[in-house]
Amino acid sequence: MHFTPEHEELRRSLRKFIDTEINPHVNVWEEAGRFPAHDLFKKLGTLGFLGITKPVEYGGAGLDWSYALVMAEELGTIHCGGVPMAIGVQTDMATPALARFGSDEVKREFLAPSVAGDFVACLGVSEVGAGSDVASVKTTAVRSGGDYIVNGGKMWTTNGAQADWMCLLANTGEGAVHQNKSLVCLPMKTKGVTVARTLDKLGMWSSDTAQIHLDDVRVPRRFLIGEEGRGFTYQMLQFQEERLWGAVSGLKGMERIIEATIDYTRGRKAFGRSILDNQVVHFRLAELHTEVEALRALIYRAVELYIGGADVTRLASMAKLKAGRLARELSDACLQYWGGMGFMNETPVSRAYRDMRLGSIGGGADEVMLSIICKFMGTLPAQPKGDRPGQRKDAAAD
Ligand SMILES: Cc1cc2nc3c(=O)[nH]c(=O)nc-3n(C[C@H](O)[C@H](O)[C@H](O)COP(=O)(O)OP(=O)(O)OC[C@H]3O[C@@H](n4cnc5c(N)ncnc54)[C@H](O)[C@@H]3O)c2cc1C
């Protein structure tokens, strides 16, 4: 991966912003169970951080994904997982399909204010009964004159309690499950949209995660993204950036936890020497550091190919899988060396242990990533015709 002075400048300026505008507040936001999304996103938008890869006509910088990579990697220096995840939803999970397939009108209405930081976006794919199996979502958007009438609900919606609009996946027709869905921009202040509850979570405390009810919600049909019936495919493409983003955003957090563990174990004595001086400890940390660098190399390779226009479904799935697993292994191994203090909420390693657990579940579970990789390897048993699962994130493999 070749980084230019522009990449380094982006890294520096974002790092400065994180050090002054985010990290000093993280503990308070974690306690509160949410961060002020409108306030923070407005600041990020004003500095141009929310539209790095978005078209210039809608306020973006029009840069390639190597700059998104730098941003996602640097967000890993935030002292929690919840805030970077919420920013990632805004930049690389709820808006890529809109930017790529939306009409000029719908982009002016939803993309431009999201890039400016005036709107907070959320992604409404998962439902109470459908997470891994995206094709089985039940929410419907039925035509009624110039509108859609939306009924159903969404589950585990990041930013859901604070969002201005949702990138909604809903069934707009009958027929084959991969061809009857559409993506629609759904304004959250519309009658019939209810934040049923904000969910209490193991980790990612500063990010609000909501269950949303949608009852007879009237949305203009012009808020459709791209073509009707193409929503499943658009969402699968959108997941490609989500997966890459998810993998890269964990790198610096993992390195930070290794560093913190070195500091702690160097200062802590047992049996007449520092914990770190036990070979099993410093060797294990060296091994984990090596794994992080290997993961970084895989991600950088996938991003290079992606920028070149390749379909990186296979490599992005591998990166997401490896990132989720390594984050779990690393946070667990490091926590062990902190002993009792590792079990205390006040230490960074326990927050990392809680937050990093999501990596193997959110944005497509490890097993879904494995299924995709198997499909590329030709080892996934064939499904009976008409009974294919349409698993989440199974993008271009289909
Ligand atoms: C904090 C948080 C934030 C989230 N944010 C969002 C968001 O903003 N928008 C959104 O749409 N969704 C969001 N999600 C939902 C997330 O993407 C789903 O939870 C995830 O895709 C898994 O779906 P599920 O929970 O329904 O698990 P299920 O589909 O019920 O699967 C349960 C488990 O079964 C196993 N499994 C599944 N399929 C297979 C298989 N084929 N073979 C073997 N094992 C399998 C896996 O281990 C999986 O973890 C969020 C979730 C969390 C926890």
Side-chain angles (χ1 to χ4, degrees), residues 204 246-247 249-251 253-255 257-258 284 288 291-292 295 319-335 349 351-360 366:
M204 300 291 198
S249 68
L251 293 172
M254 287 194 265
E255 287 170 341
I257 291 308
I258 292 176
R284 182 74 176 121
L288 291 167
E291 292 273 316
V292 176
L295 172 62
K320 161 89 174 57
L321 173 71
K322 183 68 188 169
R325 297 217 155 154
L326 180 58
R328 286 160 68 185
E329 185 189 347
L330 184 147
S331 57
D332 183 58
C334 288
L335 187 146
V349 73
R351 184 182 289 165
Y353 180 82
R354 289 186 278 102
D355 289 355
M356 287 180 181
R357 188 62 185 84
L358 182 63
S360 284
D366 284 0

Side-chain angles (χ1 to χ4, degrees), residues 123 125-126 131-132 156-158 201 358 361-365 367 391-392:
L123 176 66
V125 173
S126 305
S132 302
W156 305 295
T157 311
T158 300
K201 308 188 290 296
L358 182 63
I361 299 171
E367 292 78 1
Q391 284 164 335
R392 183 177 192 122

Side-chain angles (χ1 to χ4, degrees), residues 362-374:
D366 284 0
E367 292 78 1
V368 172
M369 296 305 111
L370 286 166
S371 300
I372 296 169
I373 297 162
C374 287

Side-chain angles (χ1 to χ4, degrees), residues 93-131:
M93 300 177 202
T95 50
L98 172 61
R100 198 177 305 171
F101 302 108
S103 66
D104 175 60
E105 186 185 2
V106 84
K107 282 195 272 205
R108 291 206 183 282
E109 197 121 10
F110 294 97
L111 185 62
S114 302
V115 167
D118 293 322
F119 277 3
V120 172
C122 65
L123 176 66
V125 173
S126 305
E127 300 183 353
V128 170

